[in-house]
Amino acid sequence: MDLVPALDEPLKKVLGPATAKVMAEHLGLHTVGDLLHHYPRRYEERGQLTHLADLPMDEHVTVVARVADARLHTFASARAPRGKGQRLEVTITDGSGRLQLVFFGNGVHKPLKELLPGTPAMFAGKVSLFNRRLQLAHPAYELLRGDGEETVETWAGALIPIYPATAKLESWKIGKAVQTVLPSAQEAVDPLPPALREGRGLLPLPEALLKIHRPHTKADIAAARDRLKWDEAFVLQVALARRRHADAQLPAVPRRPRPDGLLAAFDDRLPFTLTEGQRNVSREIFDDLATEHPMHRLLQGEVGSGKTMVALRAMLAVVDAGGQAAMLAPTEVLAQQHHRSIVEMMGELAQGGMLGGAEHATKVVLLTGSMSAAARRQALLDLVTGEAGIVIGTHALIEDKVQFHDLGLVVVDEQHRFGVEQRDALRGKGKQPPHLLVMTATPIPRTVAMTVFGDLETSVLDQLPAGRSPIASHVVPAADKPRFLARAWERVREEVANGHQAYVVCPRIGDEESDPRSATKKPSPEDEAEKRPPLAVLDVADELAKGPLRGLRVEVLHGRMHPDDKDAVMRRFAAGETDVLVATTVIEVGVNVPNATVMVIMDADRFGVSQLHQLRGRVGRGSAPGLCLLVTEMPEASPARQRLNAVAATLDGFELSRIDLEQRREGDVLGQAQSGARTSLKVLAVIEDEEIIAEAREEAAKVVAADPELASLPGLRTALDALLDEEREQYLEKG
């Protein structure tokens, strides 16, 4: 977020081309402003040493510790056959844990002289395991003696900033570069309106930048972080508020259902009553559809809460009002599944223009990339003439050739797979902007929704429809207790014997070609110690059919099959002609087979929390209770096992998404969901800073309502342009 031209100075000019190149390539820092906004990850206190016991494996770390001892060994090797090889082993300690450093060959001379017992220093390198002990091989280091240029005053009692660094550029080198550009912080123009900043007692921006990089006390760090969190939250919320404001200015055709039309006919033939939640959310949607501005609503609901039913009723209301509705699904399997279930739910109401079609009927067409040319031509014709009121499709709907007679509503399923630009491309198909309903089955904590989908109003479905059964989930520790895995396959056989069906999910397909480069490289000891590759559908299906599930009808389903084959497999499974479906995550969303009651997820630790929750939602969709078995070889104490225990312990998707977010941080959530959201929140944590985000949203709405063009706030405009520049770059990268 560069703020002003003074901070636009390229780092090349200030730090020299070599350092600037590393910063650009490895840290994405190009200007003085970028470097000033590269904040320390944490701070070490002089005299207080890092906990060596907590170091993460295979990560690049910076530690502050004291040398305990140093030993020089000689050895014979291919390069030094006469026992002239040299290895320096240095042990460092923080008083509780110990860590070994190793240096080889000519690299031993300098550390042998400098790393004397008792010397404090900063060390940076990649943590690896050798002979069951943690070590850093050839770490970079910086002595903390305070002689030479580094005066004792610079370090005494100071907080040492530890920056996000790379193997090519250690934290203390970044610190020195920051020291060089820090005077420019005085030039930073403040994006916060003065009244807002003063009203909340926040530091001015130059002071916050100074204190985050060179704090004297912990209070300095806290005050700087509070201020910088507000910057991130507020600028992002202003971007979203402006988007909401602009959308609210657009005209749209109000779409009101007829009292005796298609929607009424559909409701009359429903064999069940809607849940109270479905009725309330439908009311919110119908109110939006009746206005002269486009609806922008996010519908989030638990797996199986009946979102599709709510979306279908909205589509029928629009068809009633003379418009057309399009539903965009992320995969062909899901588009076909939605098409099939919607046609079934509507019955003769989906047979517009056909014999046996009802009086108010319309046509429901499918449009995907793999359809035959003739079927595609017919679907396109039905859309342009208005014969088809409802179309369900994949990305194929966004193509230039697709034209609508009168597109009134776009429903996007599984929002996290579609970027903003795809939403906009489909909205551009209407004569006037159509209404937009976005659905997601990955429950999103309120704050993430405000940060990522801040341009949408939100509705939540948290009741399960009547007749849905509870799902019991259990972790199966295959390595500790092989008997449990054998019992899992017995449970599958019992369910099949009772007339039910089962899913077995694996992380990989199994027909991947091995990488020719990896065959020629000799594996390193670390690679050898690396876990085995994840279990694959093709191997597991074969083993099950010959072994524990012998005699049952086992089929496979994965993303690289031909679409017609995928569809045929799903049809056979839905019709009950297959007992066990061994699949990848292609079944993650929307697949609806009420007779499937048990799911076994192999290598469950290889999936994310929300993905496991999604997968589990495929069972227990009928009247028989569901069972989900999470198979893992991870040891009891590992974080992966704790994650699986959390999934087994609750069916509340909102609770799980919080756990997931706390573990993963929000980078990937924001990155996937919307390019307009900064994926690189530096100081703002979406879950912890819930209050700041909510308050920033209110403040942003006030500012934008009073001054939509931000004419009176040049600093805010500059910060916003920088944020949206990044957004444009991301659009281009996505291509």
Side-chain angles (χ1 to χ4, degrees):
M1 206 194 313
D2 329 339
L3 294 176
V4 291
L7 301 193
D8 286 344
E9 188 78 33
L11 288 173
K12 263 203 298 258
K13 284 190 180 168
V14 188
L15 303 175
T19 308
K21 184 169 188 250
V22 177
M23 286 194 168
E25 285 175 6
H26 294 274
L27 297 169
L29 308 176
H30 304 276
T31 64
V32 169
D34 291 342
L35 182 53
L36 286 173
H37 288 286
H38 185 70
Y39 310 129
R41 176 179 284 151
R42 58 191 170 81
Y43 301 84
E44 291 292 357
E45 290 181 68
R46 287 309 306 275
Q48 186 194 31
L49 303 176
T50 313
H51 288 297
L52 297 179
D54 306 334
L55 292 181
M57 280 291 296
D58 281 341
E59 281 195 28
H60 201 79
V61 298
T62 302
V63 296
V64 176
R66 200 174 289 278
V67 177
D69 62 51
R71 295 202 180 99
L72 187 64
H73 302 270
T74 54
F75 60 91
S77 69
R79 284 192 178 162
R82 290 202 290 283
K84 295 266 180 71
Q86 289 189 309
R87 179 173 78 250
L88 176 65
E89 290 179 4
V90 178
T91 307
I92 58 172
T93 177
D94 60 358
S96 57
R98 297 168 87 80
L99 177 67
Q100 186 155 20
L101 317 177
V102 289
F103 301 88
F104 293 101
N106 293 334
V108 304
H109 305 308
K110 185 166 177 272
L112 184 59
K113 284 209 299 273
E114 296 182 335
L115 296 179
L116 304 173
T119 307
M122 284 200 278
F123 302 92
K126 193 173 178 186
V127 184
S128 59
L129 204 57
F130 183 72
N131 284 346
R132 301 209 166 169
R133 288 170 66 193
L134 290 181
Q135 73 164 28
L136 296 182
H138 278 290
Y141 62 88
E142 176 91 335
L143 302 180
L144 297 184
R145 283 211 198 100
D147 50 50
E149 297 164 45
E150 303 289 324
T151 60
V152 180
E153 282 73 60
T154 319
W155 288 104
L159 292 155
I160 305 169
I162 305 290
Y163 288 91
T166 76
K168 296 263 194 278
L169 200 64
E170 295 85 12
S171 167
W172 54 85
K173 289 187 181 161
I174 296 172
K176 286 179 180 169
V178 169
Q179 190 73 41
T180 308
V181 301
L182 209 48
S184 309
Q186 294 306 328
E187 314 267 334
V189 173
D190 207 318
L192 295 189
L196 164 68
R197 184 170 60 72
E198 287 153 21
R200 295 185 177 272
L202 298 168
L203 297 180
L205 182 59
E207 194 182 330
L209 290 172
L210 219 54
K211 284 187 169 168
I212 197 126
H213 290 294
R214 288 292 172 269
H216 292 297
T217 62
K218 290 189 173 168
D220 283 352
I221 300 171
R225 289 179 71 85
D226 284 352
R227 160 64 218 239
L228 295 166
K229 281 179 178 187
W230 256 94
D231 276 14
E232 286 188 357
F234 182 70
V235 175
L236 178 57
Q237 290 300 345
V238 167
L240 293 167
R242 290 187 74 200
R243 193 179 164 91
R244 274 199 308 278
H245 180 81
D247 284 339
Q249 310 308 310
L250 295 171
V253 180
R255 311 278 180 176
R256 296 183 187 84
R258 295 206 306 276
D260 57 347
L262 183 58
L263 178 62
F266 175 76
D267 283 349
D268 287 346
R269 47 171 293 147
L270 277 181
F272 52 81
T273 53
L274 298 172
T275 65
E276 191 186 346
Q278 285 175 315
R279 285 200 298 274
N280 291 343
V281 170
S282 289
R283 202 170 305 121
E284 290 175 348
I285 291 172
F286 291 152
D287 287 349
D288 282 357
L289 289 173
T291 63
E292 297 189 349
H293 299 291
M295 165 173 84
H296 291 93
R297 192 165 281 282
L298 171 68
L299 169 58
Q300 37 171 341
E302 272 296 0
V303 177
S305 58
K307 291 184 300 298
T308 311
M309 173 59 71
V310 169
L312 176 55
R313 292 184 72 239
M315 294 199 285
L316 296 174
V318 168
V319 175
D320 254 354
Q324 291 169 294
M327 185 182 226
L328 192 58
T331 65
E332 295 212 348
V333 167
L334 194 52
Q336 288 161 340
Q337 180 85 29
H338 275 320
H339 181 252
R340 200 174 306 138
S341 64
I342 283 173
V343 167
E344 275 168 23
M345 283 194 273
M346 288 175 63
E348 72 266 21
L349 295 175
Q351 296 172 357
M354 293 182 250
L355 279 174
E359 173 199 354
H360 298 294
T362 187
K363 229 182 194 183
V364 180
V365 299
L366 177 68
L367 189 66
T368 65
S370 65
M371 286 167 65
S372 70
R376 192 178 161 80
R377 250 197 320 273
Q378 185 57 53
L380 291 172
L381 188 65
D382 288 342
L383 284 179
V384 76
T385 58
E387 187 94 354
I390 295 177
V391 58
I392 293 140
T394 54
H395 284 76
L397 280 177
I398 301 175
E399 288 174 14
D400 293 346
K401 293 192 194 91
V402 181
Q403 291 181 352
F404 290 85
H405 177 66
D406 179 14
L407 180 60
L409 171 67
V410 174
V411 178
V412 179
D413 191 18
E414 281 315 306
Q415 160 63 22
H416 62 275
R417 314 221 179 165
F418 290 106
V420 174
E421 64 272 35
Q422 289 154 315
R423 266 165 38 184
D424 288 348
L426 193 51
R427 274 167 36 184
K429 301 269 182 197
K431 294 188 174 73
Q432 280 198 331
H435 299 281
L436 175 71
L437 179 66
V438 168
M439 300 198 296
T440 177
T442 309
I444 302 169
R446 173 173 154 268
T447 39
V448 181
M450 288 192 318
T451 313
V452 181
F453 303 105
D455 57 330
L456 304 175
E457 298 301 320
T458 305
S459 298
V460 176
L461 271 180
D462 46 14
Q463 279 175 301
L464 289 186
R468 273 296 166 87
S469 306
I471 304 168
S473 305
H474 302 284
V475 177
V476 177
D480 312 352
K481 301 181 177 157
R483 176 77 200 93
F484 280 36
L485 183 58
R487 177 73 190 113
W489 301 126
E490 285 167 20
R491 282 293 288 113
V492 170
R493 295 192 80 97
E494 287 164 16
E495 289 295 315
V496 172
N498 288 336
H500 297 303
Q501 292 159 280
Y503 295 102
V504 177
V505 180
C506 304
R508 212 162 51 95
I509 296 173
D511 60 356
E512 299 86 350
E513 289 178 26
S514 62
D515 182 352
R517 286 172 307 183
S518 60
T520 55
K521 273 202 320 210
K522 191 173 180 318
S524 68
E526 286 93 335
D527 293 341
E528 294 277 9
E530 200 38 85
K531 299 189 302 242
R532 57 167 177 71
L535 291 170
V537 166
L538 301 176
D539 308 339
V540 168
D542 198 40
E543 283 165 32
L544 291 177
K546 289 177 181 160
L549 302 185
R550 194 168 48 247
L552 301 187
R553 297 167 298 177
V554 178
E555 286 212 62
V556 299
L557 179 70
H558 59 74
R560 277 214 287 274
M561 290 165 63
H562 187 278
D564 292 350
D565 296 340
K566 279 195 279 204
D567 199 39
V569 169
M570 272 318 299
R571 277 178 196 276
R572 285 196 292 275
F573 190 64
E577 294 162 23
T578 305
D579 299 320
V580 180
L581 186 61
V582 183
T584 55
T585 53
V586 290
I587 59 154
E588 179 185 351
V589 279
V591 173
N592 186 23
V593 179
N595 193 42
T597 52
V598 59
M599 174 177 284
V600 182
I601 303 179
M602 307 302 290
D603 279 345
D605 47 273
R606 310 276 179 128
F607 299 97
V609 170
S610 44
Q611 203 173 24
L612 290 169
H613 184 58
Q614 284 272 17
L615 285 164
R616 167 171 66 183
R618 302 301 114 216
V619 295
R621 298 176 80 84
S623 50
L627 173 66
C628 177
L629 300 173
L630 306 165
V631 180
T632 178
E633 292 187 359
M634 285 308 202
E636 182 106 41
S638 62
R641 264 292 271 287
Q642 288 159 10
R643 213 172 59 225
L644 295 180
N645 292 340
V647 174
T650 178
L651 289 173
D652 179 344
F654 286 92
E655 176 57 28
L656 283 176
S657 66
R658 281 187 85 90
I659 294 169
D660 193 22
L661 197 62
E662 277 159 10
Q663 290 185 336
R664 285 193 305 162
R665 293 281 310 194
E666 47 278 325
D668 24 356
V669 184
L670 300 188
Q672 269 182 320
Q674 174 175 336
S675 42
R678 282 181 77 80
T679 52
S680 53
L681 290 182
K682 293 176 179 136
V683 282
L684 193 69
V686 166
I687 290 282
E688 288 159 36
D689 299 320
E690 212 155 331
E691 279 178 30
I692 294 180
I693 291 169
E695 289 170 15
R697 182 180 166 116
E698 278 175 33
E699 295 279 7
K702 280 189 235 164
V703 165
V704 171
D707 180 3
E709 293 306 309
L710 309 179
S712 60
L713 296 165
L716 178 55
R717 273 214 73 106
T718 310
L720 202 60
D721 289 344
L723 178 72
L724 299 176
D725 258 1
E726 194 164 302
E727 176 183 52
R728 272 194 224 98
E729 270 171 46
Q730 285 168 346
Y731 276 157
L732 295 174
E733 278 166 27
K734 282 188 180 169

